[in-house]
Amino acid sequence: QVQLVESGGGLVQPGGSLRLSCVVSGITFNLYAMGWYRQAPGKQRELVAHFRSGGITNYADSVKGRFTISRDNAKNTVYLSMNVLKPEDTAVYYCNAGRTKEYWGQGTQVTVSS
């Protein structure tokens, strides 16, 4: 059974930081591209950051320079470090694993508010 379990979300003030984690089980982690997506109320789910095979990363323009995706293949974990958070970053953040099939986590809420 494939499981992606996110953690690390919460309430943070504008300008603050959070680090999201996603622990993956049930797949050969190092063979999968990993990504973080987010969905704000009333909006479509959007790509935040993606870690492709070969170590290539790409980011949404809105988070470039503020967010960093990383992975630890030994721990089957992908991270999203988020700095200089803005109210518009408020969303449910989802972890995604993709290869021939895609798998999703249940999401973790990030709220940026004073």
Side-chain angles (χ1 to χ4, degrees):
Q1 181 181 359
V2 179
Q3 286 190 313
L4 285 71
V5 180
E6 300 102 332
S7 61
L11 173 64
V12 63
Q13 291 189 341
S17 299
L18 283 175
R19 189 194 195 202
L20 306 183
S21 300
C22 174
V23 180
V24 181
S25 60
I27 59 173
T28 305
F29 180 77
N30 61 295
L31 296 181
Y32 278 72
M34 298 298 302
W36 286 95
Y37 291 73
R38 67 185 180 188
Q39 188 166 18
K43 295 189 176 181
Q44 289 190 329
R45 191 172 296 189
E46 63 175 0
L47 173 70
V48 176
H50 192 242
F51 204 125
R52 297 185 288 173
S53 60
I56 299 171
T57 57
N58 60 286
Y59 297 89
D61 287 343
S62 59
V63 307
K64 282 180 181 176
R66 300 188 297 121
F67 290 12
T68 302
I69 188 171
S70 60
R71 64 191 294 168
D72 186 336
N73 288 340
K75 295 183 178 179
N76 284 10
T77 302
V78 61
Y79 303 97
L80 184 68
S81 296
M82 305 185 293
N83 299 310
V84 195
L85 281 160
K86 304 175 181 180
E88 51 264 42
D89 295 319
T90 295
V92 178
Y93 284 70
Y94 296 91
C95 178
N96 171 273
R99 195 182 181 206
T100 54
K101 292 181 66 174
E102 279 196 338
Y103 301 96
W104 294 90
Q106 81 289 348
T108 185
Q109 176 71 47
V110 172
T111 302
V112 185
S113 175
S114 54

